[in-house]
Amino acid sequence: MSEKNSNENETNTPEVATSIDEVRPIGYQEIIERSLYAFAKRLWGHEPEEVDALFAKYLGKDYDRENAFQKKYHKKLVLVAEEALEEKLWKIKAQSTSLVDDNINRAMKELISVLGLEMDLSRTSFDNCKEVINRRASSIKELSDTCDIVWSGRRLFDWYNLGVISPEINSDILKMQDSCRSGTINREILASYYYNVALTYEKSSAQKSQKQGEHHHSVKFMKKALSKIEKNISLVMAIKDSLSDEYDYDPQGVLDACHRIMDNSNDDHSLYLAHKLYAETLAESKKIKGFSSSRSEKIIEHYKIALGYTHAGNDKLDILEAMSEQQKNVDKEGYIKTQLEIAELLTGRNRIRTLKNLVYHVDSPEIKAGLLKSAINEFLDLDDIRKEDLPIYQSLDAKLRVVAANEPKTIKKLDSLQKKFAQASTLKSNPLFVQMSSKGHDVFSKR
């Protein structure tokens, strides 16, 4: 690497290739220099903070940004490039094991870019493209291994689109399993691949009259995928939805996957969803070993943990409502506390009804009075008063008069509010009602 990377233009100019004969394998020094250039120039989509953080990791927090590409930093810059390249290759492998065409195409284009090739994919056959890329990557194992994963993902994508199961699928599955054992891919990528195999079997099954065999394979690979997941909570949720209607569905597999995510993820949203899914699965499933006596406590525990990982009002409300259902019959004080938290997140009529219903679960007259006063205060904030609101108000008024009988100021305030919220007489408020007889007689007339 030159002191100022003076040969960067030569190094980073893509190699135009249209046939296998024109391609030379990329060497280690070239891929390192290309990777360092692309990473430092943010051609791989990194934010400035991410670039700075990786340079600081190897060159020190106070490294000189203007003079970082000096010969004395060569070994450290190689480490920067290797880590950036490794991250990029993992991203390509993850994208390629997707059944989303945009992801598949992006993985292909990014692999071509990493290898320093320039190819017109619209004018190059897939087989020729594959040969060129394989030859270009052939001298560096990490690159050739990545190519193998991309081709396996692409083949599965094609089979899925056609709705067919190729005899080659078993060979590809074995190769992906070997790749996981060797560290070329991780468990998460293998889980994604298994899930896509399951979807391919299911799609093929849907197009045939004899469906049972391929549906059985689909279920088998769903379970295999579930057993490998360590971070992807969205995939766990999708698999649970697919398996939960199966006669041999075992919720323990979902619980185990949630535990692995809790152990391996640092993402708050993933942890929120994992604890929420754990609690929901336990609540839905009546027969799970080891939870006969402590089911509700365990469910409530995971709901509480999930609550700590979210700040979104709607998410909090979902968790609190589910948690209160579990507490209702086993933890009266906890139920009341949770319902109060729910009320704090609500406004208007929803809050009024929640506070009104909570009165029935509270023993203390003082607390009952506080809940009723809060509900009446919320009434005063309503933009409009509807007919259906009036009976609710009258109920709150009557209850508060009982529990606050020794509070003259409260009773006086209720009397003044009664004028505003008193129900109008049905007879007076209905202009269509006629008191006289059909012939015009009215013996009750004041005349």
Side-chain angles (χ1 to χ4, degrees):
M1 188 175 301
S2 64
E3 193 161 315
K4 284 288 184 178
N5 217 21
S6 59
N7 63 340
E8 69 179 23
N9 290 333
E10 179 183 341
T11 302
N12 293 289
T13 300
E15 183 166 308
V16 179
T18 56
S19 71
I20 187 71
D21 297 330
E22 300 174 355
V23 179
R24 58 179 180 78
I26 193 169
Y28 173 76
Q29 182 177 344
E30 183 179 354
I31 193 66
I32 287 297
E33 292 192 357
R34 287 193 61 81
S35 299
L36 186 62
Y37 177 83
F39 176 70
K41 297 292 185 181
R42 296 172 49 210
L43 302 181
W44 286 349
H46 292 85
E47 295 297 325
E49 297 79 11
E50 295 175 300
V51 173
D52 192 51
L54 189 56
F55 273 95
K57 176 180 177 179
Y58 291 105
L59 274 65
K61 293 181 179 179
D62 299 323
Y63 78 95
D64 184 350
R65 291 162 179 77
E66 297 297 323
N67 299 295
F69 294 92
Q70 295 186 53
K71 191 173 183 179
K72 64 179 181 179
Y73 294 130
H74 174 75
K75 291 183 179 179
K76 294 180 179 180
L77 291 174
V78 168
L79 296 176
V80 172
E82 286 179 340
E83 183 167 333
L85 176 61
E86 181 181 23
E87 178 193 316
K88 186 65 172 177
L89 295 180
W90 277 113
K91 183 178 178 181
I92 290 171
K93 287 181 280 191
Q95 288 175 332
S96 66
T97 49
S98 160
L99 290 183
V100 180
D101 54 357
D102 284 346
N103 290 345
I104 298 285
N105 291 334
R106 191 177 299 114
M108 282 280 292
K109 290 177 181 178
E110 291 188 0
L111 179 60
I112 290 169
S113 174
V114 166
L115 293 173
L117 290 170
E118 185 174 295
M119 301 176 68
D120 186 346
L121 295 178
S122 65
R123 296 186 178 185
T124 308
S125 70
F126 177 75
D127 288 341
N128 192 33
C129 176
K130 182 178 175 182
E131 285 186 354
V132 168
I133 290 174
N134 283 346
R135 179 170 174 81
R136 180 68 166 161
S138 61
S139 65
I140 299 176
K141 188 176 188 305
E142 289 84 350
L143 298 178
S144 59
D145 286 346
T146 299
C147 292
D148 289 340
I149 303 304
V150 170
W151 307 138
S152 293
R154 173 60 186 266
R155 277 192 296 274
L156 187 60
F157 174 77
D158 290 340
W159 295 331
Y160 174 81
N161 282 336
L162 293 171
V164 301
I165 298 297
S166 168
E168 295 178 62
I169 195 168
N170 290 323
S171 175
D172 273 12
I173 290 168
L174 291 173
K175 287 178 182 177
M176 292 294 283
Q177 291 171 342
D178 288 341
S179 295
C180 188
R181 293 189 193 99
S182 68
T184 299
I185 60 172
N186 55 24
R187 288 166 58 98
E188 210 72 22
I189 292 177
L190 183 59
S192 178
Y193 184 81
Y194 279 154
Y195 178 70
N196 294 339
V197 169
L199 294 181
T200 304
Y201 269 111
E202 195 61 35
K203 185 173 182 181
S204 176
S205 171
Q207 299 179 26
K208 296 181 178 179
S209 57
Q210 299 295 325
K211 300 180 179 181
Q212 195 58 40
E214 292 191 349
H215 176 70
H216 172 75
H217 283 299
S218 176
V219 171
K220 179 179 73 173
F221 279 101
M222 286 280 181
K223 292 177 179 178
K224 282 178 173 285
L226 188 61
S227 71
K228 295 296 181 183
I229 299 170
E230 293 183 337
K231 292 184 178 181
N232 192 344
I233 184 61
S234 296
L235 189 54
V236 176
M237 295 166 71
I239 292 173
K240 177 180 180 289
D241 287 344
S242 296
L243 292 180
S244 57
D245 291 331
E246 299 296 323
Y247 76 93
D248 61 347
Y249 166 61
D250 183 2
Q252 188 62 54
V254 175
L255 298 182
D256 291 343
C258 288
H259 268 305
R260 290 195 298 275
I261 290 169
M262 294 170 197
D263 291 341
N264 293 291
S265 178
N266 294 317
D267 175 63
D268 281 1
H269 188 62
S270 293
L271 291 169
Y272 156 72
L273 290 173
H275 284 283
K276 181 173 181 281
L277 182 61
Y278 189 99
E280 290 172 346
T281 302
L282 198 54
E284 294 165 359
S285 307
K286 303 302 180 186
K287 296 180 180 180
I288 301 180
K289 293 179 181 179
F291 290 106
S292 56
S293 62
S294 60
R295 178 181 301 275
S296 291
E297 290 86 347
K298 202 69 175 176
I299 293 169
I300 293 167
E301 174 191 335
H302 282 278
Y303 274 136
K304 286 182 177 178
I305 296 172
L307 201 59
Y309 282 114
T310 184
H311 303 289
N314 288 338
D315 288 344
K316 280 189 172 184
L317 194 57
D318 287 345
I319 293 292
L320 289 169
E321 288 174 345
M323 190 164 71
S324 71
E325 280 299 307
Q326 295 297 322
Q327 293 171 319
K328 196 170 187 178
N329 299 318
V330 298
D331 181 6
K332 184 177 180 180
E333 288 187 8
Y335 174 80
I336 292 170
K337 182 183 177 192
T338 301
Q339 284 292 313
L340 287 171
E341 290 185 65
I342 289 172
E344 287 298 312
L345 293 173
L346 299 174
T347 60
R349 293 174 179 84
N350 288 333
R351 188 173 190 211
I352 291 168
R353 292 182 188 279
T354 299
L355 293 168
K356 177 178 177 290
N357 292 336
L358 190 52
V359 170
Y360 295 105
H361 299 275
V362 173
D363 297 324
S364 165
E366 291 80 7
I367 296 177
K368 283 179 182 284
L371 293 170
L372 291 164
K373 290 175 182 178
S374 180
I376 289 174
N377 283 331
E378 195 70 23
F379 247 106
L380 300 178
D381 286 343
L382 294 178
D383 293 331
D384 63 317
I385 303 299
R386 305 171 186 167
K387 286 184 178 180
E388 60 266 28
D389 294 331
L390 297 176
I392 297 174
Y393 179 81
Q394 294 300 328
S395 175
L396 295 171
D397 176 284
K399 288 180 172 61
L400 185 53
R401 287 179 187 274
V402 172
V403 297
N406 296 324
E407 299 179 24
K409 289 184 178 180
T410 298
I411 302 301
K412 184 177 180 180
K413 174 55 72 174
L414 288 175
D415 289 340
S416 67
L417 290 173
Q418 191 63 245
K419 298 174 183 178
K420 178 178 180 180
F421 291 106
Q423 291 194 62
S425 165
T426 303
L427 297 181
K428 291 180 180 179
S429 65
N430 192 340
L432 299 179
F433 181 82
V434 179
Q435 184 172 291
M436 65 181 64
S437 73
S438 60
K439 292 185 177 181
H441 296 134
D442 185 0
V443 298
F444 299 101
S445 172
K446 295 181 179 179
R447 293 180 296 167

